[in-house]
Amino acid sequence: MNKENIKLASTEKKYFKYLNILSICYILPIMLAMIVENRINVVMGITFVSGTLIVPLSYTFSDMITEVYGYAEMKRLIWASTIIMNIVALLVFIILKVPTPDIHKDLIDNHAYQIVLSPFARDVFGYTVSAFVGLIINSYLLSKTKIKVKGKFFALRSLASSAIGEIIYILIFTLLVFYGDYPLGTLVELMLVAFAYKVICNIVLVIPSAMAVKKLKKIEGMDNQYDVGVNYNPFKVNGKNNSSHKN
């Protein structure tokens, strides 16, 4: 690898043109999924939760961010998203506890708000735990395999790492959020349907995302950038290699 024109991960601050946009695109599907997660749907006899339709988008953007900007940037984003989500969950909890004036009780269906938003905190807790396992493992595998194959085969690496990460994410999230609310058979069905749907979405989205990754690397000046020397400890947000020189 030392014969290649490879740059190591750097602690130097650099302005990235599209990182903030991609970060928003990563967080938005998760936020939407948490709001609708508890709505059970049945289409052609197949049972699934509404969040299943949205979450795969976050994995697509997660892979793009890890591949272009590195594991450390994705790790910081996972931390940021969990903090944001938990702050929102706290605010929702407080709002639901604030009394409504008697004069407005006939105009505002508070019970509907309770039904829709009460599970939000539990959903966020489930996301926090599953993200710190499933998404971290996904980014770790994508980053490590990138080093092994010198940046080649993004599509295959993305599909493989996402499949592993999503299995773990789905298992943890489903058990934390839905265990006790539905029979075991229903939980298994929800997990299998969620995984199958996400694999299909990954296959559909991997080619456009690979094309976007190739373009972004050139625009952001991140060609031949590898996570060599990066601290993969998920609890050390700023752990990066000190060198930014070419070998």
Side-chain angles (χ1 to χ4, degrees):
M1 184 175 287
N2 57 359
K3 294 182 180 180
E4 301 287 338
N5 187 26
I6 295 174
K7 291 178 281 186
L8 302 181
S10 174
T11 53
E12 297 178 3
K13 296 294 183 182
K14 181 179 179 180
Y15 171 76
F16 294 116
K17 187 175 182 180
Y18 292 104
L19 179 57
N20 289 339
I21 296 175
L22 290 173
S23 299
I24 293 171
C25 291
Y26 164 78
I27 294 176
L28 274 179
I30 296 173
M31 181 70 74
L32 291 172
M34 295 301 101
I35 296 173
V36 302
E37 188 66 47
N38 290 273
R39 188 176 191 274
I40 303 295
N41 305 275
V42 179
V43 176
M44 299 178 64
I46 300 175
T47 304
F48 60 94
V49 293
S50 297
T52 297
L53 302 174
I54 306 171
V55 171
L57 292 173
S58 66
Y59 267 86
T60 297
F61 288 111
S62 168
D63 285 356
M64 291 174 63
I65 293 169
T66 302
E67 182 71 10
V68 176
Y69 304 101
Y71 172 86
E73 292 292 349
M74 190 61 223
K75 180 170 60 174
R76 277 193 286 269
L77 183 55
I78 292 173
W79 269 100
S81 65
T82 54
I83 292 172
I84 291 170
M85 294 291 289
N86 279 276
I87 291 174
V88 172
L90 177 61
L91 292 175
V92 168
F93 174 80
I94 293 173
I95 290 171
L96 290 178
K97 296 299 181 181
V98 175
T100 301
D102 292 338
I103 192 173
H104 295 302
K105 284 188 176 179
D106 293 334
L107 302 176
I108 301 175
D109 190 353
N110 286 304
H111 184 61
Y113 280 96
Q114 294 288 339
I115 293 175
V116 174
L117 296 177
S118 289
F120 187 77
R122 184 175 64 172
D123 293 344
V124 170
F125 172 73
Y127 164 75
T128 300
V129 178
S130 54
F132 267 101
V133 182
L135 284 167
I136 286 290
I137 289 176
N138 174 46
S139 295
Y140 172 85
L141 293 174
L142 189 63
S143 173
K144 282 293 190 180
T145 53
K146 179 182 178 181
I147 297 173
K148 290 290 185 182
V149 300
K150 300 179 182 179
K152 300 176 182 177
F153 314 118
F154 167 73
L156 294 177
R157 290 186 289 110
S158 175
L159 289 174
S161 62
S162 294
I164 295 172
E166 285 174 346
I167 288 175
I168 299 170
Y169 181 97
I170 291 168
L171 180 62
I172 295 175
F173 186 86
T174 302
L175 292 178
L176 288 178
V177 174
F178 297 113
Y179 183 78
D181 291 343
Y182 301 98
L184 181 60
T186 301
L187 293 180
V188 172
E189 180 182 1
L190 291 175
M191 287 188 283
L192 291 176
V193 170
F195 180 69
Y197 174 79
K198 289 175 182 179
V199 169
I200 293 172
C201 285
N202 290 340
I203 293 173
V204 171
L205 295 173
V206 72
I207 298 302
S209 64
M211 295 172 63
V213 161
K214 185 177 180 180
K215 188 72 173 177
L216 283 168
K217 284 181 178 180
K218 292 181 180 180
I219 294 174
E220 304 283 32
M222 297 297 284
D223 280 325
N224 301 318
Q225 178 77 35
Y226 295 80
D227 288 326
V228 178
V230 165
N231 189 331
Y232 284 94
N233 186 335
F235 300 103
K236 291 188 176 180
V237 180
N238 292 317
K240 296 185 73 176
N241 185 63
N242 293 325
S243 176
S244 61
H245 303 290
K246 298 177 183 178
N247 284 342

